[in-house]
Coordinates of all heavy atoms in Angstrom, one line a residue:
A501 N 69.7 101.1 114.4 CA 70.5 101.8 115.4 C 71.6 102.5 114.7 O 72.0 102.4 113.6 CB 71.1 100.8 116.4
M502 N 72.2 103.4 115.5 CA 73.4 104.2 115.0 C 74.6 103.5 115.4 O 74.7 102.8 116.5 CB 73.4 105.6 115.7 CG 72.2 106.5 115.4 SD 71.9 106.8 113.6 CE 73.6 107.4 113.0
R503 N 75.6 103.5 114.5 CA 76.9 102.8 114.8 C 78.0 103.8 114.4 O 77.8 104.8 113.8 CB 77.0 101.5 113.9 CG 76.1 100.4 114.4 CD 76.5 99.9 115.8 NE 75.7 98.8 116.3 CZ 74.6 98.9 117.0 NH1 74.2 100.1 117.4 NH2 74.0 97.9 117.5
D504 N 79.2 103.3 114.7 CA 80.5 104.2 114.3 C 80.4 105.5 114.8 O 80.5 106.6 114.0 CB 80.7 104.2 112.8 CG 80.9 102.8 112.2 OD1 81.1 101.8 113.0 OD2 80.8 102.5 111.0
E505 N 80.1 105.8 116.1 CA 80.0 107.0 116.7 C 79.1 108.0 116.0 O 79.2 109.1 115.9 CB 81.4 107.7 116.7 CG 82.5 106.9 117.6 CD 83.8 107.5 117.6 OE1 84.0 108.5 116.7 OE2 84.7 107.2 118.4
G506 N 77.9 107.3 115.6 CA 76.9 108.2 115.1 C 77.0 108.5 113.7 O 76.2 109.4 113.2
T507 N 78.0 107.9 113.0 CA 78.2 108.3 111.5 C 77.5 107.2 110.5 O 77.6 107.4 109.4 CB 79.7 108.5 111.2 OG1 80.3 107.3 111.4 CG2 80.2 109.6 112.0
R508 N 77.0 106.1 111.1 CA 76.4 105.1 110.3 C 75.1 104.6 110.8 O 75.0 104.2 112.0 CB 77.4 103.9 110.0 CG 76.7 102.8 109.3 CD 77.9 101.7 108.8 NE 78.6 101.2 110.0 CZ 78.2 100.0 110.4 NH1 77.1 99.4 110.1 NH2 78.9 99.5 111.5
L509 N 74.0 104.7 110.0 CA 72.7 104.2 110.5 C 72.5 102.8 109.8 O 72.8 102.7 108.6 CB 71.6 105.2 110.0 CG 70.2 104.7 110.1 CD1 69.7 104.4 111.4 CD2 69.3 105.7 109.4
R510 N 72.2 101.8 110.5 CA 72.0 100.5 109.9 C 70.9 99.7 110.5 O 70.4 99.9 111.7 CB 73.3 99.7 110.0 CG 73.7 99.2 111.4 CD 73.3 97.8 111.5 NE 73.9 97.2 112.7 CZ 73.3 96.9 113.8 NH1 72.1 97.3 113.9 NH2 74.0 96.2 114.7
G511 N 70.3 98.8 109.7 CA 69.3 97.9 110.1 C 68.8 97.0 109.0 O 69.2 97.2 107.9
S512 N 68.0 96.1 109.4 CA 67.4 95.2 108.3 C 65.9 95.6 108.0 O 65.2 96.2 108.9 CB 67.3 93.8 108.8 OG 68.6 93.3 109.1
L513 N 65.6 95.5 106.7 CA 64.3 95.8 106.3 C 63.9 94.8 105.1 O 64.6 94.7 104.1 CB 64.0 97.2 105.9 CG 62.6 97.7 105.8 CD1 61.9 97.6 107.1 CD2 62.5 99.1 105.3
G514 N 62.8 94.0 105.3 CA 62.5 93.0 104.3 C 63.6 92.0 104.1 O 64.1 91.5 105.1
H515 N 64.1 91.8 102.9 CA 65.2 90.8 102.6 C 66.5 91.5 102.6 O 67.5 90.9 102.1 CB 64.8 90.1 101.3 CG 63.6 89.4 101.3 ND1 63.3 88.3 102.2 CD2 62.5 89.6 100.6 CE1 62.2 87.8 102.0 NE2 61.5 88.6 101.0
F516 N 66.7 92.7 103.1 CA 68.0 93.4 103.0 C 68.5 94.0 104.2 O 67.7 94.3 105.1 CB 67.7 94.6 102.0 CG 67.4 94.2 100.6 CD1 66.2 94.1 100.1 CD2 68.4 93.8 99.7 CE1 65.8 93.7 98.8 CE2 68.2 93.4 98.4 CZ 66.8 93.4 98.0
D517 N 69.8 94.0 104.3 CA 70.5 94.9 105.3 C 70.9 96.2 104.7 O 71.4 96.2 103.6 CB 71.8 94.2 105.8 CG 71.5 92.9 106.6 OD1 70.4 92.8 107.2 OD2 72.4 92.0 106.6
V518 N 70.6 97.3 105.4 CA 70.8 98.6 104.8 C 71.7 99.4 105.8 O 71.5 99.4 107.0 CB 69.4 99.4 104.7 CG1 69.6 100.7 104.0 CG2 68.3 98.5 104.0
H519 N 72.6 100.2 105.1 CA 73.5 101.0 105.9 C 73.6 102.4 105.3 O 73.8 102.5 104.0 CB 74.9 100.4 105.8 CG 75.0 99.0 106.5 ND1 75.6 98.8 107.7 CD2 74.7 97.9 105.9 CE1 75.5 97.5 108.0 NE2 75.1 96.9 106.9
F520 N 73.3 103.5 106.0 CA 73.4 104.8 105.6 C 74.7 105.5 106.1 O 74.9 105.4 107.3 CB 72.2 105.7 106.0 CG 70.9 105.3 105.3 CD1 70.1 104.4 105.6 CD2 70.5 106.2 104.2 CE1 68.9 104.1 104.9 CE2 69.3 106.0 103.5 CZ 68.5 105.0 103.9
T521 N 75.3 106.2 105.2 CA 76.5 107.1 105.6 C 76.3 108.4 104.8 O 75.8 108.4 103.7 CB 77.8 106.5 105.4 OG1 78.0 106.0 104.1 CG2 78.0 105.4 106.4
A522 N 76.8 109.5 105.4 CA 76.8 110.8 104.7 C 78.3 111.3 104.7 O 79.0 111.2 105.7 CB 75.9 111.8 105.4
H523 N 78.7 111.9 103.5 CA 80.0 112.3 103.4 C 80.1 113.7 102.8 O 79.3 114.1 102.0 CB 80.8 111.3 102.3 CG 80.6 109.9 102.7 ND1 81.6 109.1 103.3 CD2 79.5 109.0 102.7 CE1 81.2 107.9 103.5 NE2 79.9 107.8 103.1
W524 N 81.2 114.4 103.1 CA 81.5 115.7 102.4 C 83.1 115.8 102.3 O 83.9 115.0 102.9 CB 80.8 116.8 103.0 CG 81.3 117.4 104.3 CD1 82.3 117.0 105.1 CD2 81.0 118.6 104.7 NE1 82.6 117.8 106.2 CE2 81.7 118.8 105.9 CE3 80.1 119.6 104.4 CZ2 81.5 120.0 106.8 CZ3 79.9 120.7 105.2 CH2 80.6 120.9 106.4
V525 N 83.4 116.8 101.5 CA 84.9 117.0 101.3 C 85.6 117.6 102.4 O 85.2 118.6 103.0 CB 85.1 117.9 100.0 CG1 86.6 118.2 99.6 CG2 84.4 117.2 98.8
V526 N 86.8 117.0 102.7 CA 87.7 117.7 103.8 C 88.3 118.8 103.2 O 88.9 118.8 102.0 CB 88.8 116.7 104.3 CG1 89.8 117.3 105.2 CG2 88.1 115.4 104.8
R527 N 88.4 120.0 103.9 CA 88.9 121.2 103.4 C 90.0 121.8 104.4 O 89.8 121.6 105.7 CB 87.9 122.2 103.1 CG 87.0 121.8 101.9 CD 86.0 122.8 101.6 NE 85.2 122.2 100.5 CZ 85.5 122.5 99.2 NH1 86.5 123.3 98.9 NH2 84.7 122.0 98.2
D528 N 91.0 122.5 103.9 CA 91.9 123.1 104.8 C 91.4 124.4 105.4 O 90.3 124.8 105.1 CB 93.3 123.3 104.0 CG 93.2 124.2 102.9 OD1 92.3 125.0 102.8 OD2 94.1 124.1 101.9
E529 N 92.3 125.2 106.0 CA 91.9 126.4 106.8 C 91.4 127.4 105.7 O 90.7 128.4 106.0 CB 93.0 127.0 107.6 CG 93.3 126.0 108.8 CD 94.4 126.6 109.7 OE1 95.0 127.7 109.2 OE2 94.7 126.0 110.7
E530 N 92.0 127.4 104.5 CA 91.6 128.3 103.4 C 90.4 127.8 102.7 O 90.0 128.5 101.6 CB 92.8 128.5 102.5 CG 94.0 129.0 103.2 CD 95.2 129.2 102.1 OE1 95.1 128.7 101.0 OE2 96.2 129.8 102.5
G531 N 89.8 126.7 103.0 CA 88.7 126.2 102.3 C 88.9 125.4 101.0 O 87.9 125.1 100.4
K532 N 90.2 125.1 100.8 CA 90.6 124.3 99.6 C 90.4 122.8 99.9 O 90.8 122.3 101.1 CB 92.0 124.7 99.1 CG 92.0 126.1 98.7 CD 93.4 126.4 98.3 CE 93.7 127.8 97.8 NZ 95.0 128.2 97.4
P533 N 90.0 122.0 98.9 CA 89.9 120.5 99.3 C 91.3 119.9 99.6 O 92.3 120.3 98.9 CB 89.4 120.0 97.9 CG 88.6 121.1 97.3 CD 89.5 122.3 97.7
V534 N 91.4 119.0 100.5 CA 92.6 118.3 100.8 C 92.6 117.1 99.9 O 91.7 116.3 99.9 CB 92.6 117.9 102.4 CG1 93.8 117.0 102.6 CG2 92.5 119.1 103.2
K535 N 93.8 116.9 99.2 CA 93.9 115.8 98.3 C 95.0 114.8 98.7 O 95.9 115.2 99.4 CB 94.2 116.3 96.9 CG 93.1 117.3 96.3 CD 93.4 117.7 95.0 CE 92.2 118.6 94.4 NZ 92.5 119.0 93.0
D536 N 94.9 113.6 98.3 CA 95.9 112.6 98.6 C 97.0 112.7 97.5 O 97.1 113.6 96.7 CB 95.3 111.2 98.6 CG 94.8 110.7 97.3 OD1 95.1 111.3 96.3 OD2 93.9 109.7 97.3
E537 N 98.0 111.7 97.6 CA 99.2 111.7 96.8 C 98.8 111.6 95.3 O 99.6 111.9 94.4 CB 100.1 110.6 97.2 CG 99.7 109.2 97.0 CD 98.8 108.8 98.2 OE1 98.6 109.6 99.1 OE2 98.4 107.6 98.3
R538 N 97.6 111.0 95.1 CA 97.2 110.8 93.6 C 96.3 112.0 93.1 O 95.9 112.0 92.0 CB 96.4 109.6 93.5 CG 97.1 108.2 93.7 CD 96.3 107.1 93.7 NE 95.3 107.2 94.8 CZ 94.1 106.4 94.8 NH1 93.8 105.7 93.8 NH2 93.2 106.7 95.8
G539 N 96.1 113.0 94.0 CA 95.4 114.2 93.7 C 93.9 114.0 93.8 O 93.1 114.8 93.4
I540 N 93.4 112.9 94.5 CA 92.0 112.7 94.8 C 91.7 113.4 96.0 O 92.3 113.1 97.1 CB 91.7 111.2 94.7 CG1 92.2 110.5 93.6 CG2 90.2 111.0 95.0 CD1 91.6 110.9 92.3
Q541 N 90.5 114.1 96.0 CA 90.1 114.9 97.2 C 89.6 113.9 98.3 O 89.0 112.9 97.9 CB 89.1 116.0 96.9 CG 87.9 115.5 96.2 CD 87.1 116.6 95.7 OE1 87.6 117.7 95.6 NE2 86.0 116.4 95.1
Q542 N 89.9 114.3 99.6 CA 89.7 113.5 100.7 C 88.2 113.8 101.3 O 87.9 115.0 101.2 CB 90.7 113.6 101.8 CG 92.1 113.1 101.4 CD 92.1 111.7 101.1 OE1 92.0 110.8 101.9 NE2 92.2 111.4 99.7

C-alpha cells in the first residue's frame, strides 16, 4: 500500500519488508539547490 501521503510504497515479499521512496533536490526560485548550515543540499 501507499503510506506517508503517497510518498512511500511499502509491503512484504518473501522474507523481507520493502519500502520505496523517491527523492530529488529542493531548489529556490532561481533553480539553485537549497543547502543546510553545513552546505549539504536539501
Side-chain angles (χ1 to χ4, degrees):
M502 300 303 306
R503 291 291 184 266
D504 299 345
E505 298 182 344
T507 64
R508 177 167 59 93
L509 167 65
R510 70 99 164 103
S512 298
L513 194 61
H515 299 295
F516 295 95
D517 291 335
V518 187
H519 302 258
F520 281 87
T521 52
H523 309 255
W524 77 350
V525 175
V526 176
R527 294 181 179 267
D528 61 22
E529 294 180 355
E530 298 179 354
K532 297 179 180 179
V534 176
K535 299 183 179 181
D536 63 18
E537 64 279 1
R538 296 172 299 162
I540 305 299
Q541 55 194 8
Q542 298 299 287

